[in-house]
Amino acid sequence: MTKRNIIGFFAVIVLISLNISGCNSCKNRYESPGKLKTQKNDTIPVIKEKTAVLEKVTFFIENSGSMFGFVNQANEFKNSLVGLAYLPEFDKVLKSFYFINGTSNPLRNSGIQINYFSNDPEVFKNRLNQKSFNIGDVRFSDLNKMFEIALDSAKDNQISVLVSDCVYDVGEESDPLTALRIEINKTQQAFRNRLEKENIQTLIIKAGSRFDGLYYYASKKGSKQIINKQRPFYIMFFGKTELLNKSLTEQSIGNKIEGLFETARFFINDEKSIPYQIVPSIDIKGEFKQDFKDKFKLINAKPLKGEFQFAIAADFSSLSFSDSYLTSTANYDCPYSNFSVVKVVKISKRIPGVEGTHLITVFTDKNPVGDLEIVLKNVAPGWVMETDADNEDLVDSTHTFGFKFLTDAISEAYEYKNNGRNPATFKILISK
């Protein structure tokens, strides 16, 4: 072999070695799971989104004169609030307790009164009495300003709580319902302003307790009466949806609220994908086959005696609605189709081949062929309408004057932000 050939041979060997080295370098840059390597072998860690961790809970207790009847005896009001203050999910976080009353109306010469009294649930428990409540300006309760303050306190990884009888103080008005509507517009604006800044969920708990004290009429000038009976009160939580869903489940609430209670949740729908599947063996009317190429398609669909029906299984475990909400057919819709939701049941026993938390049955007595959408809506639950009273002659254990105005204002603020999005939508294609 000549000298020139020997040099050429070694040059080829060097080039092959360099190519292999380069390919291995490329392979290493892309094959390491969870890491990305640069050409200099510097590692850049993949940044994962952090899970929200609760850091603080702030309690605001309305202590206007209308609330005194809840704290002059041992009762459900005290037991429920103390139970929530000692909620296990709140054990390792900071807590602050405030009384709140007064008014922001300059004509009343008061101002909102916020009085901090402790960060200790044990002190909080001992302050639930009339003597401790008699601080600030107990003549007034500016519910709108209270909402603003509580909403503003629910920032970052913090939850705020407002406890109130939710009776609007409309002042010396000759037309209280008109005055109430004006106040409600302010409530809606307070929520809309807050939702522009952050995705905040609102959880309203309606509970009941023995009440022995003065009831101050919002709709009758200067009128009041002594009552000794059960009365509703409300605990409202504000905070990130992730925090409220984790800390305040139906089970955790039920373990601490004494007596019967109802819940309503309002939140911004993030269009998360809710897993679902067709269940071809349950609640069938008519005939169809499931398309093997498309698991969300039915083919050869034929009604039987003019009826067509089938069920889907949906996994609602990521949603925060109560089971009573999820099983109410009134909370579902099948827009632009001939179908309606006729039954929703929680899956209590395992169904072979089916994964989900609830079975949703849809029915039509018309032509089933077409695009079907099954929508879970986020609407105020039925107990809201049952709670509302448009006059105060009905002072009892169930009703609160103007309550629907309040929940409508909150609901409309969230609807505006949601812009037509729903918590869950399921799509099925049905063909002949």
Side-chain angles (χ1 to χ4, degrees), residues 86-302:
Y86 279 103
L87 200 67
E89 289 78 1
F90 295 166
D91 278 351
K92 297 180 180 179
V93 301
L94 298 173
K95 302 178 190 68
S96 294
F97 298 93
Y98 296 83
F99 288 131
I100 185 168
N101 57 23
T103 178
S104 57
N105 187 339
L107 299 178
R108 292 185 171 186
N109 193 29
S110 173
I112 287 291
Q113 308 287 309
I114 307 172
N115 290 284
Y116 169 80
F117 61 90
S118 184
N119 61 2
D120 185 350
E122 194 66 20
V123 175
F124 170 59
K125 179 178 74 173
N126 294 326
R127 293 291 179 90
L128 294 176
N129 57 70
Q130 289 197 5
K131 182 179 179 181
S132 297
F133 261 46
N134 195 14
I135 187 174
D137 192 340
V138 299
R139 298 173 298 166
F140 305 120
S141 58
D142 190 332
L143 201 52
N144 281 320
K145 198 64 181 176
M146 292 179 192
F147 281 133
E148 287 183 19
I149 292 167
L151 284 166
D152 189 57
S153 298
K155 54 191 175 186
D156 300 325
N157 290 334
Q158 302 179 39
I159 289 175
S160 66
V161 190
L162 175 62
V163 180
S164 170
D165 61 3
C166 284
V167 177
Y168 278 87
D169 179 2
V170 295
E172 301 295 319
E173 295 287 347
S174 57
D175 186 356
L177 284 178
T178 298
L180 181 58
R181 290 186 178 94
I182 293 171
E183 292 299 308
I184 291 304
N185 287 331
K186 296 177 185 176
T187 299
Q188 186 181 34
Q189 190 61 49
F191 277 84
R192 283 176 62 170
N193 289 343
R194 186 65 183 89
L195 293 175
E196 285 298 320
K197 300 175 185 177
E198 197 172 359
N199 184 348
I200 296 295
Q201 181 183 136
T202 298
L203 165 62
I204 302 178
I205 301 173
K206 176 187 178 182
S209 174
R210 285 166 289 168
F211 181 100
D212 186 4
L214 286 171
Y215 178 85
Y216 293 84
Y217 285 86
S219 60
K220 300 176 183 179
K221 285 186 179 181
S223 295
K224 56 189 176 184
Q225 69 161 314
I226 297 175
I227 61 172
N228 186 356
K229 60 176 68 175
Q230 289 284 123
R231 286 288 296 153
F233 68 94
Y234 304 89
I235 308 164
M236 290 159 282
F237 290 86
F238 310 99
K240 287 181 179 178
T241 289
E242 185 179 357
L243 294 177
L244 263 62
N245 287 358
K246 188 186 303 182
S247 302
L248 297 158
T249 63
E250 293 296 308
Q251 183 177 359
S252 66
I253 294 169
N255 288 337
K256 298 301 179 182
I257 298 292
E258 188 165 304
L260 298 175
F261 69 95
E262 303 278 5
T263 64
R265 292 184 190 255
F266 303 91
F267 52 89
I268 298 174
N269 300 320
D270 58 5
E271 292 189 316
K272 64 178 66 176
S273 179
I274 303 297
Y276 68 102
Q277 65 181 104
I278 297 170
V279 183
S281 58
I282 295 176
D283 276 352
I284 296 172
K285 291 183 179 180
E287 298 177 2
F288 62 82
K289 291 182 180 179
Q290 193 167 359
D291 193 331
F292 290 110
K293 297 180 181 178
D294 185 346
K295 63 180 180 179
F296 302 122
K297 183 178 179 180
L298 299 180
I299 58 175
N300 301 335
K302 297 177 183 178

Side-chain angles (χ1 to χ4, degrees), residues 37-56:
K37 289 192 175 183
T38 66
Q39 290 184 358
K40 295 181 180 180
N41 290 328
D42 295 327
T43 355
I44 303 173
V46 175
I47 299 173
K48 296 182 179 180
E49 187 176 346
K50 291 184 178 180
T51 302
V53 178
L54 181 62
E55 296 173 357
K56 184 178 180 181

